Amino acid sequence: MSVSPVFVGRGSELAALGVALRRAREGQPQALLVGGEAGVGKTRLLEEFLAEAEAAGTVTMLGQCLEIGAEGLPYAPLVTALRRLHRRLGPELARAADGMEGHLARVLPEFGETDGEPNDEYGRARLFEHIGRLFERLGAEHTLVLAIEDLHWSDRSTRELLGYLISTLHHSRVLICATYRTDDLHRRHPLRPFLAELERQRTVQRLELDRFGHHEVAAQLAGILGTETPDRRLVERIHRRSEGNPFFVEELACSYTGGCSVGMSDSLREILLVRVEALPEAAQRVVRTAAEGGSRIEHQLLAAALDGTEDELLDALRTAVGANILQPDKDGEGYRFRHALVREAVSDDLLPGERTRINRRFATALAADPGLVHGAERPARLANYWYHAHDPARALPSALDAARAARRRNAFAEQLRMLERALELWDEVDAEVLATTLRPHDWAETYPPCSCDPGPLDDECQRLRLVDVLAEAVVAARRAGDRERGVSLAKRALKLVDETRDPLRAAWFRMNRARMLGHLNRRGYAEELTHALRLVEGRPPSAVQADVFSLAAGQAMLNSPVEADLVLAERAVAIAREVGATSVELHAQMTLGSLYTELGDPERGIATLREAIEGARRLTVPDLLTRGLNNLASMLGHLGRAEEAVRLAREGLAAAGALGLLRNTGGILAGNLAECLLLVGRPAEAAEVLAEWEGTGSGAEAHASFLHRLRGELALLRGDLAAVQEHLARAGAAVERDQSQHEVPAARLAVDLAGRSGRPLQARAALLDVLDGPSDLRDSRLLPLLARAAAVEADSRGLPSADQGRPAVLARITERLAAQRPVVPLHHGWVRLAEAEVARATGADTPAHWQAAIEPLRATGLPYPLVHALLGAGGALAAAGQRESAGELLREAAELADRLGDGWLRREIDHVIARVGVARSRPQGPAGAPMGARVEQSEPDGAAAFHLTPRETDVLRLLTEGRSNRQIAEELFISPKTASVHVSNILAKLEVSGRGEAAALAHRLRLFPAAAPLQPVGPGA
């Protein structure tokens, strides 16, 4: 026995695992990733830790990723771990899985029959969500440790599920440990980016195990040899030969105890084979066969693949186990090699023909008796055995079977791998064999039946063809998130499809290429979609035709829709309804509702969308339901019905959580909810929603532009302009193709940031970037941008750097306003507000301008943008000598600014109140009602209102003219240093952060009427 009976040299690592376990017990889930080269002791460390955890009452489960024979077999380590948990907890696990059995059965058949939901991206999301809930429920009663070995061999579905659990189990008593080989991670190994992504999370630690030093090797040898002080020369020789690798220390120690000289072997690989070659021939044959069977091999399968009696097999196995080459696995159903390095050495030592023969024996045995392995594993195991047996005629159908099995488990990456194997083998299989063994079945959704004219072979289109497999592979690639591969597969398929004979299939592939190119933000998207439209136009009604029409209308909806797009959506709905494509119909109906609203009929749009939502509820299609709730919430918020939108967005988030779709649609639903909360003046709740979503740790960047912009809005309210700039930059980096729904609101935020920073030229540039782009002349999303940009122009009136070019900009704004066709009070209010700001920018505004904006904005009940209209009206009334009326409106504006949580805007309002000379709070009469009498000016006027000294007033006047400190010093006959001190004092008294803001504030409040005639005072940028 060469395994050291003492645990050597991993005290700090074991302590780190213990600390993580204690945190997990306290409700802080943890994850540890243990790396190291092969043989360095990762498994031994894990075994010691799990034993200690079990002794302390922790529930542990262990799964191992499989090295060979596992391609196309998803979730293998999770299946093993859950199966062990099932045996241990039994009824308790069943209670935790209550209501989720149909989903969980896709991973572990012991949970019962799978649910009947479709196998799509959303089904995969629901599967992950339900596995996460299972761990949360179990974690309420126990502290759980999920340990996964050999992550470097993991399938993609396992990695993604593991990443999901690590990022979403926030308040569960769960510790996740995983080991991996560092020496196997070549530059393009798929585990590299996965580990890098995980390390960004604060709950994830990474441990690297080093080789042993001289003293640790001595301690290990002492344990193996049973002596307190092993021979010094032996320790040195083994340490030098093993280079401190603990596994090689064991093997070299075994060679020593067996009488072999430590220095005789030419390579470490030979050292690994020494004990195998010392076995009797029968035992060697068993070991060689087991090595090709996989990381673990079932006893019955091994027996079926070998000649001889059961007694002979047991004798050979007993010998191999006694030599510590094989070990019974922990489930008691088969065997595994003591170390993967030994299995690799044995497998590498097989002759090519020997390897082929062994795989054929496994495949033949498993095909004859499917019960030799677990049912969920059989398709992938059989496919791999036939493939390595070099039998294409059997490997191809078995690969397709394995692909279907992976799809049923929502493991689309593994499905794609098996389909690509089938494509690889296709040309190696005789056509007659293909005709007799492969028949069509339900392939990709809405993939049309062949519409070719009958050819020489009457059954040509009745058997499975290469293009059918490509269709399924395209969908699998899209669902697996491998859209680059999907685009390539669709291109290959199009070379096989005759567009003249089979236009619908060609259109189907074009449509899918368009979808994936769009997701990749790559050129060619529009061309593919246009080509698909041309192929289906004028054809008999079909699901593909409806889907193409719906996709085209939906993409137009996101940018600049016109009446023709609405007609296209109406056709999509009608055709889908005619052919019974209900899912396509509801998607098209939701697009149609949005288009009705965008093109001026919001009530019809809302009614259409509500009808589609009810259809999704009846059909129980989760992604349709959450899409409908999301679209309606966004629509109502945009129409000014924000309180109703808040309720719908909350319902959508709850539905997404209940259906397991938070990772797919949670981001946009959370964003819509936060945006509506900001509109109604509940910024604290909006911040909480965004913080909760940020805490989910989603790796996906879907809707990143939207969410960063909203975080920027909150930062603007806090006055953290640096954070606003950062979020705007990140939003710009994430923004999708020229979608006005993302670009225009971000530009409006950029305008506000520039205005508040005293940089009017930057605000102007942000506006012109949008106006010079492809945005629709009648896009109502432009209204807030136009109004705020006009406000910055008005605020900077009189600044020399901003005066040049202003007339042209105001003309552009006026042109866009004239093109609008507002249909709801909010849009009418924005138009009137923008017109008032344009008038203020030319010194021509009157109280009537602002009153025209106030009336429709009051009808919405929204504090924003009403607060800006009230502030502008207050300034205009004050300039007209109506201070009492101005005071009422300004005090109302101050209350709304407080409700919005906008401290900067509140200070601006206070400055105007001070300039007007009215009380900051409403005066009270005897009964507590506001009094109508005029309030005498309580603060000094002009620059003195800010307690500026005469010298500081002179400095401020020159500063507003754009003078530098040196120019100010020369003008006032003072030193530049003294001028700098005065400027600093002025900034503090005005409560601004820079010279630009100080100049902008002075101009807004017209502090120097001699330099610029007094104009109506209006709001800040």
Side-chain angles (χ1 to χ4, degrees), residues 613 617 625-634 648 651-652 655 669:
I613 290 171
R617 291 189 202 277
L625 177 60
T626 53
R627 181 200 169 189
L629 290 169
N630 168 63
N631 285 8
L632 186 55
S634 177
L648 281 166
E651 182 185 353
L669 284 162

Side-chain angles (χ1 to χ4, degrees), residues 921-994:
S921 58
R922 297 177 185 273
Q924 301 294 313
M931 297 176 63
R934 175 180 173 179
V935 180
E936 295 298 328
Q937 182 173 329
S938 58
E939 296 191 28
D941 201 358
F946 298 97
H947 309 292
L948 299 180
T949 65
R951 175 59 79 187
E952 287 169 347
T953 301
D954 293 337
V955 171
L956 178 59
R957 178 183 287 105
L958 295 173
L959 188 151
T960 59
E961 296 174 3
R963 307 287 187 88
S964 67
N965 285 353
R966 180 169 296 280
Q967 290 170 329
I968 292 172
E970 292 173 354
E971 181 78 16
L972 299 179
F973 302 101
I974 58 178
S975 71
K977 183 176 181 180
T978 301
S980 175
V981 172
H982 285 314
V983 170
S984 297
N985 291 337
I986 291 167
L987 298 183
K989 291 180 179 181
L990 295 183
E991 298 179 359
V992 295
S993 60

Side-chain angles (χ1 to χ4, degrees), residues 31-74:
L32 269 84
L33 307 172
V34 182
E37 67 179 14
V40 82
K42 303 180 294 296
T43 296
R44 183 65 184 275
L45 172 65
L46 201 58
E47 288 173 349
E48 294 288 333
F49 168 66
L50 293 178
E52 289 186 8
E54 282 279 356
T58 299
V59 174
T60 69
M61 48 189 147
L62 175 66
Q64 186 173 35
C65 300
L66 305 180
E67 179 184 7
I68 65 169
E71 289 180 295
L73 179 59

Side-chain angles (χ1 to χ4, degrees), residues 211-547:
R211 296 176 179 180
F212 280 172
H214 187 278
H215 293 296
E216 293 161 321
V217 168
Q220 185 182 6
L221 283 173
I224 294 171
L225 301 177
T227 178
E228 289 188 13
T229 55
D231 181 75
R232 181 177 57 81
R233 288 175 297 176
L234 178 66
V235 172
E236 289 176 353
R237 291 168 66 192
I238 290 182
H239 178 256
R240 183 176 63 256
R241 191 76 181 87
S242 68
E243 297 182 341
N245 183 293
F247 178 67
F248 289 127
V249 170
E250 292 182 357
E251 293 302 304
L252 290 166
C254 178
S255 297
Y256 171 76
T257 57
C260 298
S261 169
V262 171
M264 285 180 61
S265 297
D266 292 332
S267 69
L268 290 174
R269 177 175 166 275
E270 291 183 14
I271 293 174
L272 297 177
L273 292 174
V274 164
R275 278 192 286 168
V276 176
E277 293 171 350
L279 295 173
E281 180 56 33
Q284 286 191 49
R285 186 167 61 252
V286 168
V287 169
R288 287 194 295 269
T289 302
E292 199 60 21
S295 298
R296 59 178 172 80
I297 184 71
E298 295 82 354
H299 176 87
Q300 296 301 325
L301 179 60
L302 184 61
L306 286 164
D307 297 325
T309 66
E310 180 74 9
D311 289 340
E312 289 172 339
L313 173 62
L314 289 174
D315 286 342
L317 285 168
R318 189 173 290 108
T319 302
V321 171
N324 205 22
I325 295 170
L326 294 180
Q327 293 178 336
D329 69 17
K330 294 180 173 60
D331 296 324
E333 298 177 354
Y335 306 91
R336 65 187 318 116
F337 280 81
R338 182 175 72 84
H339 199 285
L341 285 172
V342 178
R343 194 211 61 76
E344 291 169 16
V346 173
S347 181
D348 289 344
D349 199 48
L350 293 173
L351 297 172
E354 195 175 13
R355 178 175 290 110
T356 300
R357 181 179 58 82
I358 292 172
N359 276 282
R360 180 174 293 279
R361 282 177 170 268
F362 279 130
T364 302
L366 188 53
D369 185 359
L372 293 175
V373 301
H374 287 291
E377 296 182 15
R378 179 182 177 272
R381 294 278 292 276
L382 188 59
N384 282 294
Y385 290 142
W386 280 127
Y387 181 74
H388 293 292
H390 303 299
D391 189 336
R394 291 183 173 90
L396 175 54
S398 62
L400 293 174
D401 287 340
R404 287 191 289 271
R407 185 181 66 176
R408 286 193 293 270
R409 304 178 81 180
N410 295 323
F412 305 116
E414 287 64 48
Q415 178 197 6
L416 178 61
R417 178 70 189 91
M418 287 292 102
L419 290 170
E420 290 190 308
R421 176 176 292 176
L423 294 173
E424 170 195 336
L425 295 169
W426 194 271
D427 290 336
E428 298 182 35
V429 180
D430 184 83
E432 291 304 317
V433 174
L434 290 175
T436 57
T437 60
L438 302 179
R439 310 300 295 179
H441 66 291
D442 60 323
W443 287 97
E445 294 151 1
T446 73
Y447 179 60
C450 183
S451 57
C452 302
D453 295 328
L457 295 175
D458 291 339
D459 66 340
E460 178 186 353
C461 298
Q462 299 305 311
R463 65 172 181 259
L464 190 68
R465 299 186 301 171
L466 179 59
V467 71
D468 303 319
V469 181
L470 284 165
E472 183 74 352
V474 165
V475 176
R478 191 188 74 223
R479 290 173 174 171
D482 193 353
R483 296 185 176 92
E484 288 280 6
R485 184 64 183 136
V487 168
S488 176
L489 288 164
K491 182 178 181 180
R492 179 180 172 184
L494 283 166
K495 294 178 180 178
L496 302 176
V497 178
D498 185 334
E499 291 189 353
T500 303
R501 296 182 65 204
D502 209 350
L504 289 185
R505 285 191 169 185
W508 186 90
F509 283 109
R510 297 279 179 188
M511 175 179 63
N512 276 279
R513 268 180 64 84
R515 280 196 172 107
M516 289 182 283
L517 287 170
H519 279 290
L520 293 168
N521 198 17
R522 278 177 46 190
R523 292 184 348 186
Y525 161 82
E527 291 81 356
E528 292 289 350
L529 187 53
T530 300
H531 197 143
L533 282 167
R534 188 163 61 248
L535 288 168
V536 300
E537 190 63 66
R539 302 285 174 185
S542 67
V544 172
Q545 185 186 57
D547 209 359

Side-chain angles (χ1 to χ4, degrees), residues 97 161 192 212 299 439 598 889 1021:
L161 175 54
R192 278 186 176 273
F212 280 172
H299 176 87
R439 310 300 295 179
E598 289 287 332
L889 295 182

Side-chain angles (χ1 to χ4, degrees), residues 870 873-875 877-878 881-892 916 918 932-934:
L870 292 170
L877 287 169
Q882 302 178 45
R883 292 199 171 195
E884 179 181 338
S885 298
E888 285 298 315
L889 295 182
L890 291 170
R891 284 189 287 268
E892 183 182 354
V916 171
V918 296
R934 175 180 173 179

